[in-house]
Amino acid sequence: MKHLLKLLDLSRDDITLILDTADALKSEQKSGKKHDFPAGKTLAMIFAKSSTRTRVSFETGIFQLGGQGIFLSNADSQLGRGEPLQDTARVLSRYCDCIMIRTYEQKEVENLAKFATIPVINALTDFEHPCQVLADLQTIREHKGKLAGLKIAYIGDGNNMANSIIAGGLICGMDVSAACPEDYRPARETLDFAATVTDAKFELTADPKVAAKDADVIFTDVWASMGQESEAEKRKIAFRGYCVDDSIMALAKPDCMVQHCLPAHRGEEITEKVFEEHADEIFDEAENRLHAQKAIMYLLMKK
Ligand code: CP
Ligand code: NVA
């Protein structure tokens, strides 16, 4: 693994290695054991969109590994004044050991990786959110003891989270059922990949009740992602009936987990009651961003 650009690029062995490394780093950190990682590595952190979890978990993660994160917002860097990503990639490659980027189009991240001579990590694009779903898989494995054979239901927008959950779940041998309104389906590339999978089942439906049936894990996400704020009202109408509430949970297995990448909009994609009943799982998921990303940085930077 040279970069982490999207889960679609990874094999089951790649994901297992990341999750095993994340578990090991988590246990070292909890027991106060020093990580075996070369000191003084730097991570450039480019943010073209807002963040709480991603910024803090990456910056804390590289610090705990004995290195330093360098935050670059569009507004404060020359990126905001139009310096091309291919030049930024070559400059940062002369100073730093890894680049993390959160931006809009997936092709920007792919372009950055093409010109960088150091590893590049996708920290969310409109297409995928691979770091989040690696943390989610770590959380599910911790709670359920396994991944393959479980059923994930994703209920909501066919967005970056949907694409990454479908890819990550299927690669790990989980059955995935996605319920999305017809005009808000996951990306064609993701659906094409899902159609090639033979050792796990994939289902795309417009009915959240169909997706939720016998699920081991229910996922949801906001109806209007970053960059779609002007569509928020229209989307509230399109997503009526897609709220994860007691009636949806009643269709799932009795020990069904709930995962939400956060931030959550209570009363829209999830009720306050379901959110609070599953808050421990959701905040374990948030915590695992730290451990999963440390694993990604460890594997990409440790030479
Ligand atoms: N889940 C997630 O990526 O959160 P932030 O937008 O706060 O980074
Ligand atoms: N789909 C959301 C995820 C936020 C972490 C967004 O892109 O805004």
Side-chain angles (χ1 to χ4, degrees), residues 8 14 64 78 252 262:
L8 276 185
D14 292 330
Q64 290 180 357
Q78 297 290 5
L262 305 174

mmCIF file of all heavy atoms in Angstrom, residues 8 14 64 78 252 262:
data_model
loop_
_atom_site.group_PDB
_atom_site.id
_atom_site.type_symbol
_atom_site.label_atom_id
_atom_site.label_comp_id
_atom_site.label_asym_id
_atom_site.label_seq_id
_atom_site.Cartn_x
_atom_site.Cartn_y
_atom_site.Cartn_z
ATOM 1 N N LEU A 8 -11.947 1.181 -2.353
ATOM 2 C CA LEU A 8 -12.041 0.356 -3.567
ATOM 3 C C LEU A 8 -10.684 -0.160 -4.020
ATOM 4 O O LEU A 8 -10.613 -1.146 -4.738
ATOM 5 C CB LEU A 8 -12.655 1.182 -4.709
ATOM 6 C CG LEU A 8 -14.175 1.291 -4.789
ATOM 7 C CD1 LEU A 8 -14.574 2.045 -6.056
ATOM 8 C CD2 LEU A 8 -14.833 -0.080 -4.755
ATOM 9 N N ASP A 14 -5.336 -6.221 2.971
ATOM 10 C CA ASP A 14 -4.918 -4.840 3.317
ATOM 11 C C ASP A 14 -5.733 -4.325 4.503
ATOM 12 O O ASP A 14 -5.190 -3.752 5.456
ATOM 13 C CB ASP A 14 -5.168 -3.865 2.147
ATOM 14 C CG ASP A 14 -4.282 -4.107 0.938
ATOM 15 O OD1 ASP A 14 -3.150 -4.576 1.117
ATOM 16 O OD2 ASP A 14 -4.746 -3.808 -0.197
ATOM 17 N N GLN A 64 1.175 11.341 18.898
ATOM 18 C CA GLN A 64 1.385 10.131 19.713
ATOM 19 C C GLN A 64 2.403 9.189 19.078
ATOM 20 O O GLN A 64 3.048 8.404 19.770
ATOM 21 C CB GLN A 64 0.058 9.393 19.935
ATOM 22 C CG GLN A 64 -0.889 10.157 20.862
ATOM 23 C CD GLN A 64 -2.209 9.448 21.091
ATOM 24 O OE1 GLN A 64 -2.473 8.392 20.521
ATOM 25 N NE2 GLN A 64 -3.054 10.033 21.924
ATOM 26 N N GLN A 78 -1.469 28.965 0.128
ATOM 27 C CA GLN A 78 -1.527 29.451 -1.254
ATOM 28 C C GLN A 78 -2.529 28.657 -2.090
ATOM 29 O O GLN A 78 -2.892 29.094 -3.180
ATOM 30 C CB GLN A 78 -0.124 29.389 -1.896
ATOM 31 C CG GLN A 78 0.911 30.272 -1.231
ATOM 32 C CD GLN A 78 0.675 31.768 -1.457
ATOM 33 O OE1 GLN A 78 -0.326 32.187 -2.048
ATOM 34 N NE2 GLN A 78 1.598 32.597 -0.970
ATOM 35 N N ALA A 252 -34.390 -4.901 12.692
ATOM 36 C CA ALA A 252 -33.012 -5.412 12.712
ATOM 37 C C ALA A 252 -32.890 -6.497 13.783
ATOM 38 O O ALA A 252 -33.829 -6.756 14.542
ATOM 39 C CB ALA A 252 -32.065 -4.264 13.010
ATOM 40 N N LEU A 262 -20.815 11.025 12.337
ATOM 41 C CA LEU A 262 -20.912 12.344 12.989
ATOM 42 C C LEU A 262 -20.306 13.437 12.077
ATOM 43 O O LEU A 262 -19.376 13.110 11.336
ATOM 44 C CB LEU A 262 -20.229 12.353 14.359
ATOM 45 C CG LEU A 262 -20.706 11.293 15.358
ATOM 46 C CD1 LEU A 262 -19.828 11.329 16.624
ATOM 47 C CD2 LEU A 262 -22.176 11.508 15.726
#
